[in-house]
Amino acid sequence: AKGFEDRLLFRDVALSGLCEVGADAALLDAVWSPDTVTDFLTTRAVRSPLAGTTTSTHDTKRSEDVRARLTALAEVPDAFVDLFEAVSVGPAADAVDGHARWLLLQTVLATRDLEPGEDPAAHRERLVDSTRKALREAALHTTHRDPNERYEDAVFAWLDTLLADGPASTQIDALVERIAVPAACTSLAQVLLKIAAPGVPDIYRGCETWDGSLTDPDNRRPLDVGRLEKLRDRAETLDAEELRDTWQDGAVKALVTQRALRARRDLSAVFLSTRCETPRVDGAAADHVAALRRTASTDGPLGVPEPGTLPSVVALATRLPLALADGGWPIGAVWDDTVVHVGDVGRVTDVLTDRSLPVVDGRVRLSDAFAILPVALLECM
């Protein structure tokens, strides 16, 4: 842990969202496909069906939503490099090494305006604290045991040039605006697949809505319970389209979390089954879909004698949303002729938006499934 997670992963920050507690170095450069993902999940369903599935914890270096921003940023690497070069000019930048600038700019982009209504001074303080820890853990120019405060102050002075009103801040805001909705799509995809996949999903405190936490102790801040209750109530009373249109407050994430968890509770024999497979997806945007089918089985922790009497569940999530919709919501017509094969079923309901979807020859059009949200959880009877 100290050598890999708390040293190497603070040094190798080409895409800092990959540098996380629990990361497997052998997988960082692996090429994944729907088949390899399903094989991994099927093995997990058989070997450890009750293992926890976490995306944010008390120990993560970057919350699930911060990492989603970084994943969206990875879709536009040229834009990031252009911004990096633009803000790396001047005396303040010259006093800071490239490693610190590369890491800190990612962190600014990943957290800027992520938590609704966050005070700019509080945001800066969180950035300073997390960056100080990251630089000391990396131990390139400063350490916990022998801190180089002159170097650290130079880094924070450059940070202030990014946050102050001016050309750098304007350029940062423009790139944040470009990646914000795609990042929200990826966050919703992450929540849905975590709940639908084998294992027991863990929703870390406060992560039922957008959470911009960085490394501890930032991810252990006191919760604003009153705000969370209001978001829960909005998710209960407003429809999915209204919540999507006001997505910045985070209630849309609460909606997906609530309804997916309720489906898991109501169909526990399906979600705790050893059956996990990738349904076939065809069409122009097939590469932009992550799909997972869960079906009840006779084995597993809650095996049932007649699994065919229970519905199957198909989780659908958008991948690479920025490329698909150019920064907008990847819904409706952008899916063109893309379909998912659901089999010989008579009725399909998206439990996230409470809509019945048309089925033609065992297929559902993704323009229908993703008409409102970039994720769907289909109950197929």
Side-chain angles (χ1 to χ4, degrees):
K2 295 307 297 180
F4 178 62
E5 292 180 352
D6 290 342
R7 182 71 81 238
L8 179 61
L9 293 188
F10 281 108
R11 291 184 176 185
D12 186 8
V13 293
L15 181 60
S16 59
L18 297 177
C19 305
E20 192 51 78
V21 173
D24 186 339
L27 300 178
L28 291 182
D29 295 321
V31 178
W32 288 85
S33 71
D35 289 339
T36 56
V37 170
T38 305
D39 289 345
F40 172 82
L41 293 176
T42 300
T43 300
R44 193 173 196 263
V46 173
R47 292 183 178 175
S48 50
L50 300 180
T53 305
T54 60
T55 47
S56 280
T57 73
H58 68 288
D59 212 23
T60 39
K61 302 180 192 301
R62 298 163 188 87
S63 75
E64 58 195 53
D65 298 316
V66 171
R67 297 198 309 276
R69 278 272 186 98
L70 293 165
T71 300
L73 191 63
E75 288 198 63
V76 286
D78 291 343
F80 176 78
V81 172
D82 289 345
L83 176 61
F84 177 78
E85 292 176 348
V87 300
S88 293
V89 176
D94 292 342
V96 181
D97 62 298
H99 167 267
R101 282 183 281 119
W102 190 270
L103 172 62
L104 187 49
L105 181 58
Q106 288 184 68
T107 309
V108 171
L109 289 165
T111 57
R112 184 119 159 164
D113 298 327
L114 179 54
E115 294 190 354
E118 182 176 26
D119 178 68
H123 181 228
R124 180 192 181 277
E125 183 178 356
R126 295 199 301 116
L127 290 172
V128 166
D129 290 344
S130 67
T131 301
R132 180 185 291 112
K133 180 172 182 177
L135 296 176
R136 291 182 180 182
E137 294 282 7
L140 294 172
H141 303 283
T142 184
T143 66
H144 290 295
R145 183 170 295 178
D146 187 18
N148 182 343
E149 294 183 357
R150 182 177 179 182
Y151 164 76
E152 293 173 2
D153 287 344
V155 174
F156 304 145
W158 182 69
L159 169 64
D160 287 335
T161 70
L162 302 183
L163 300 180
D165 290 340
S169 181
T170 299
Q171 292 174 80
I172 286 170
D173 284 340
L175 187 50
V176 168
E177 184 176 359
R178 187 176 178 189
I179 65 175
V181 167
C185 294
T186 297
S187 290
L188 299 181
Q190 188 171 228
V191 169
L192 178 65
L193 295 176
K194 173 173 69 173
I195 293 172
V200 179
D202 178 82
I203 311 298
Y204 185 58
R205 54 194 295 276
C207 287
E208 58 269 44
T209 182
W210 310 133
D211 179 81
S213 295
L214 298 166
T215 189
D216 61 276
D218 194 46
N219 51 22
R220 305 173 195 179
R221 290 173 287 160
L223 295 180
D224 185 345
V225 176
R227 174 176 166 270
L228 293 175
E229 289 176 338
K230 289 178 182 177
L231 290 175
R232 177 202 61 199
D233 294 342
R234 278 176 56 79
E236 293 278 11
T237 56
L238 299 181
D239 64 36
E241 188 168 5
E242 291 177 279
L243 296 176
R244 183 202 66 212
D245 289 343
T246 55
W247 66 272
Q248 292 92 338
D249 70 0
V252 67
K253 187 180 181 186
L255 172 84
V256 172
T257 303
Q258 285 178 353
R259 296 193 176 182
L261 285 174
R262 286 171 183 165
R264 186 180 172 99
R265 177 196 63 194
D266 296 341
L267 296 171
S268 53
V270 174
F271 287 97
L272 288 175
S273 164
T274 58
R275 295 284 302 279
C276 179
E277 57 189 349
T278 302
R280 178 178 164 187
V281 178
D282 295 317
D287 288 342
H288 289 276
V289 184
L292 195 66
R293 179 189 285 118
R294 304 301 310 278
T295 311
S297 61
T298 56
D299 52 3
L302 289 178
V304 292
E306 296 184 48
T309 62
L310 291 173
S312 63
V313 173
V314 176
L316 299 170
T318 303
R319 62 184 298 270
L320 302 177
L322 198 157
L324 181 62
D326 194 27
W329 288 99
I331 56 177
V334 299
W335 292 97
D336 196 12
D337 63 347
T338 312
V339 296
V340 59
H341 293 253
V342 296
D344 185 17
V345 297
R347 178 171 57 86
V348 172
T349 303
D350 175 26
V351 301
L352 301 183
T353 57
D354 194 26
R355 294 177 301 130
S356 294
L357 305 182
V359 185
V360 178
D361 297 330
R363 297 173 295 180
V364 171
R365 292 180 63 91
L366 292 191
S367 57
D368 292 327
F370 293 145
I372 296 176
L373 297 177
V375 290
L377 187 60
L378 310 184
E379 183 178 315
C380 308
M381 290 291 291

